[in-house]
Amino acid sequence: MRKLNGDEPGPTSIVLAGVHGDERCCVDALLSVMADVGNIRGRVFYGFGNPRAIRSGVRYVEANLNRLFRDPASLTYGESRSYEYSRSTFLKKYLDQADALLDLHASFTENSSPFLICEANSKGITEYLPISMVVSGFDSVEPGGTDYYMNSIGKIGICAECGYLGDPDSEKVARRTIMAFLRARGHITAPVVTRSQKHIRMRSLYLTRTDHFVLSKTFADFEEIRNSEIIGTDGDTAIRAGRDSVILFARNRNAVGEEAFLLGEITNSLT
Ligand SMILES: [Zn+2]
């Protein structure tokens, strides 16, 4: 973990990239912004979540680091003995010292639009970030991320999904988002701008019941789906949307208990 210490007092923040090791664009964006940022106010910790996975270019080595920040009592035997668990313990030492986190990610879905994952406590920061879609509700449907951890200890956790990990624009989105975060947090003195944002609240996560979950089609992130539309088949059972929804992170799965998709709905504000 690296630290920028400003000459003037100010808040403490933390910026992470590479919590998933194959999201290289975020690692490159963080390195380039912090090399150029110059003098700041307060303190900013910054670093890489999963160095071993970054070196190998894989999402994770033994366990998904971004699920290991939940209550340790709820972790599986394998999770609690993984390399990533030792990383979560290491990272918590720095998360505990900061008041707000920006954690940068990129999607494995082609053409994915950038979006923010945060909760209502992030008002005052998120509206200044250059990403037009703001998604809440992850803390309850998919706990265990870095942002979840920050919120759980009364601080502010924001995760920025910067677009498809193979798209060169994703690195630019990540760079702009880091700069806007540093401005919104008062580390850099510069005008901040708000933008109009669309809000979505996630409602449920579907975990597979068989080892053969197949989507009925490829779904774009945040694609709108109709009540009772078939999303996929889990073994022999057709899985339908229970109401009009938006779908996120939909993928085929071949093991029981895997995350297959999330459903949410459009809301008027960050709730
Ligand atoms: Zn990620």
Side-chain angles (χ1 to χ4, degrees):
M1 189 67 60
R2 306 174 197 193
K3 182 169 75 171
L4 267 186
N5 247 333
D7 298 334
E8 289 178 66
T12 300
S13 302
I14 181 165
V15 184
L16 294 178
V19 164
H20 292 135
D22 53 355
E23 295 164 8
R24 180 78 218 178
C25 52
C26 302
V27 170
D28 293 339
L30 182 55
L31 283 172
S32 79
V33 168
M34 298 316 277
D36 287 348
V37 76
N39 193 22
I40 59 151
R41 187 178 293 143
R43 261 192 322 173
V44 178
F45 293 104
Y46 66 102
F48 307 112
N50 195 334
R52 222 183 259 181
I54 294 168
R55 274 196 298 275
S56 305
V58 295
R59 186 168 169 83
Y60 55 80
V61 182
E62 293 173 333
N64 183 352
L65 175 58
N66 217 28
R67 301 289 179 276
L68 301 187
F69 291 89
R70 63 188 201 268
D71 177 5
S74 72
L75 299 177
T76 66
Y77 182 85
E79 284 174 332
S80 62
R81 272 149 193 80
S82 62
Y83 162 71
E84 276 81 7
Y85 182 70
S86 68
R87 288 300 300 172
S88 72
T89 309
F90 170 82
L91 292 168
K92 278 179 186 176
K93 286 191 289 198
Y94 297 93
L95 295 169
D96 288 346
Q97 295 178 60
D99 307 310
L101 157 78
L102 175 67
D103 184 9
L104 300 155
H105 288 259
S107 172
F108 50 80
T109 308
E110 279 186 53
N111 303 316
S112 177
S113 299
F115 60 96
L116 299 171
I117 294 173
C118 56
E119 302 295 335
N121 64 352
S122 68
K123 281 178 193 162
I125 303 173
T126 39
E127 63 266 43
Y128 301 113
L129 302 184
I131 291 181
S132 60
M133 188 135 45
V134 179
V135 186
S136 62
F138 271 87
D139 278 7
S140 45
V141 300
E142 199 177 69
T146 54
D147 45 327
Y148 164 85
Y149 177 73
M150 288 297 272
N151 296 332
S152 76
I153 58 171
K155 297 177 171 190
I156 300 166
I158 300 167
C159 163
E161 288 282 353
C162 300
Y164 174 51
L165 52 82
D167 181 347
D169 277 348
S170 303
E171 188 181 330
K172 292 182 200 151
V173 171
R175 283 205 301 264
R176 283 198 293 265
T177 303
I178 300 165
M179 286 303 294
F181 175 79
L182 296 176
R183 287 195 293 269
R185 290 282 297 148
H187 296 295
I188 297 174
T189 310
V192 290
V193 272
T194 57
R195 63 201 66 235
S196 84
Q197 290 173 318
K198 186 173 169 184
H199 297 93
I200 289 170
R201 182 150 189 93
M202 299 319 292
R203 191 175 66 232
S204 62
L205 166 68
Y206 184 79
L207 297 175
T208 54
R209 287 164 202 156
T210 74
D211 60 4
H212 192 63
F213 177 85
V214 183
L215 293 168
S216 61
K217 63 185 257 302
T218 303
F219 291 97
D221 284 345
F222 302 107
E223 186 169 331
E224 296 189 27
I225 55 174
R226 294 274 175 198
N227 180 21
S228 83
E229 184 176 333
I230 295 179
I231 297 168
T233 51
D234 195 350
D236 296 329
T237 310
I239 306 301
R240 297 169 189 272
R243 50 175 137 162
D244 292 350
S245 304
V246 290
I247 191 164
L248 183 61
F249 298 153
R251 63 208 117 156
N252 295 326
R253 289 300 204 176
N254 54 15
V256 178
E258 294 275 307
E259 298 170 2
F261 60 86
L262 294 126
L263 293 179
E265 60 210 4
I266 296 165
T267 60
N268 293 324
S269 63
L270 178 55
T271 55

